[in-house]
Amino acid sequence: MNTNYKHIKVIGFDADDTLWVNETYFRDAELEFAKLMAPYETANKVEQELFKKEMENLPLYGYGIKGFVLSMVEMAVEISNNSMSNETVTKILNIGKDMLDAPVELLDGVEDILKHISQDYKLIVLTKGDLLDQERKLKKSNLTAYFHHIEVMSDKQEVNYSKVLAHLEIAPSEFLMIGNSLKSDILPLVNIGAEAIHIPFHTTWLHEQVSEQETKNKAYKTITSLLELKRILN
């Protein structure tokens, strides 16, 4: 797909798994949780049930580590039939604390490309999740100086993007979004008349996966690395 981006004035970046590693920590946490639940259920069953519990709790807790930890605790209570020890609860809470304390590992070329394109475009961050956690990661990343605006969204649907762009007085036709999730970062933007570039991460949360039918005839570009933006946006 050959797209000319000369009309673009503002570029938005997703944060988790676009600027830095995120989903890997969740997968590792799930493995740790499955080990704790091994006396009660198989790892595969634990993973399936935990995902169901996360989806059930999403409207209550939203996205992020805190909701994930609460879902693990609730799932553990159910799987163990209220028989798990206080020590196990502490271990689950510590899984969450370790996630929150984890270092921010930037993906290849992030700072290089931000430094390069910030000379010609206004850059913003549009991410979702827990506000405190996202602010912490942005601070640790040392990338905030490149961005004119940072928005932590409760969700990433068309209506959410439309409200943010209207508030920032950005025309969708002059906006380009870059992210790893087709469901959250790409398709909603295409649907409201903006441009989008998809950069897949090696691991995608089940909730963020979409079918081929959902992407059929949708105009967006897919690249393998942020560094390709130098060529695309010149």
Side-chain angles (χ1 to χ4, degrees):
M1 175 186 172
N2 295 317
T3 304
N4 186 311
Y5 296 107
K6 299 294 185 184
H7 57 294
I8 297 299
K9 294 182 179 179
V10 182
I11 299 177
F13 285 86
D14 170 50
D16 292 337
D17 299 321
T18 298
L19 299 178
W20 53 66
V21 173
N22 177 67
E23 191 60 23
T24 304
Y25 293 121
F26 280 87
R27 298 289 76 78
D28 290 345
E30 286 177 352
L31 292 174
E32 287 299 311
F33 179 63
K35 289 178 185 177
L36 289 176
M37 294 297 101
Y40 310 105
E41 193 54 87
T42 65
N44 187 54
K45 182 68 172 178
V46 169
E47 181 181 346
Q48 292 176 358
E49 293 303 315
L50 177 58
F51 178 72
K52 288 180 184 176
K53 184 59 65 177
E54 287 181 84
M55 294 303 98
E56 179 184 316
N57 287 334
L58 204 54
L60 289 172
Y61 303 143
Y63 295 91
I65 294 172
K66 292 175 185 176
F68 176 65
V69 172
L70 288 170
S71 293
M72 283 195 292
V73 171
E74 190 175 343
M75 196 68 258
V77 170
E78 293 181 11
I79 288 179
S80 69
N81 195 25
N82 295 299
S83 66
M84 70 171 180
S85 65
N86 291 336
E87 182 184 3
T88 301
V89 176
T90 299
K91 287 180 179 179
I92 294 172
L93 294 176
N94 285 337
I95 289 175
K97 289 178 180 178
D98 287 343
M99 293 174 74
L100 290 167
D101 288 336
V104 172
E105 180 185 346
L106 297 182
L107 295 178
D108 289 344
V110 167
E111 187 156 18
D112 184 26
I113 196 64
L114 292 179
K115 188 179 296 183
H116 180 77
I117 65 176
S118 62
Q119 300 172 41
D120 299 311
Y121 299 91
K122 182 179 290 186
L123 307 183
I124 66 175
V125 171
L126 298 178
T127 186
K128 69 180 178 185
D130 178 74
L131 178 60
L132 189 61
D133 186 35
Q134 292 296 334
E135 288 179 340
R136 174 191 63 83
K137 287 189 283 190
L138 281 158
K139 184 178 180 180
K140 280 188 175 182
S141 75
N142 293 317
L143 298 176
T144 52
Y146 296 107
F147 299 106
H148 286 77
H149 180 78
I150 294 167
E151 186 85 18
V152 180
M153 306 163 70
S154 60
D155 205 351
K156 282 185 164 182
Q157 299 187 37
E158 292 171 35
V159 63
N160 305 100
Y161 281 112
S162 294
K163 286 181 179 178
V164 172
L165 294 183
H167 177 70
L168 298 176
E169 298 183 335
I170 300 170
S173 60
E174 298 175 339
F175 182 67
L176 167 65
M177 182 68 184
I178 297 168
N180 70 291
S181 170
L182 286 169
K183 181 177 181 179
S184 293
D185 305 320
I186 306 303
L187 298 181
L189 276 304
V190 171
N191 290 339
I192 64 171
E195 302 283 358
I197 295 178
H198 180 221
I199 309 179
F201 189 64
H202 62 77
T203 301
T204 302
W205 185 28
L206 184 59
H207 180 62
E208 296 292 335
Q209 295 177 14
V210 298
S211 66
E212 282 189 30
Q213 187 62 34
E214 291 175 270
T215 62
K216 192 174 182 180
N217 299 320
K218 298 294 184 180
Y220 63 89
K221 191 177 189 68
T222 299
I223 60 178
T224 59
S225 167
L226 276 169
L227 291 172
E228 291 182 52
L229 293 175
K230 282 187 178 181
R231 170 181 54 81
I232 294 170
L233 297 174
N234 277 343

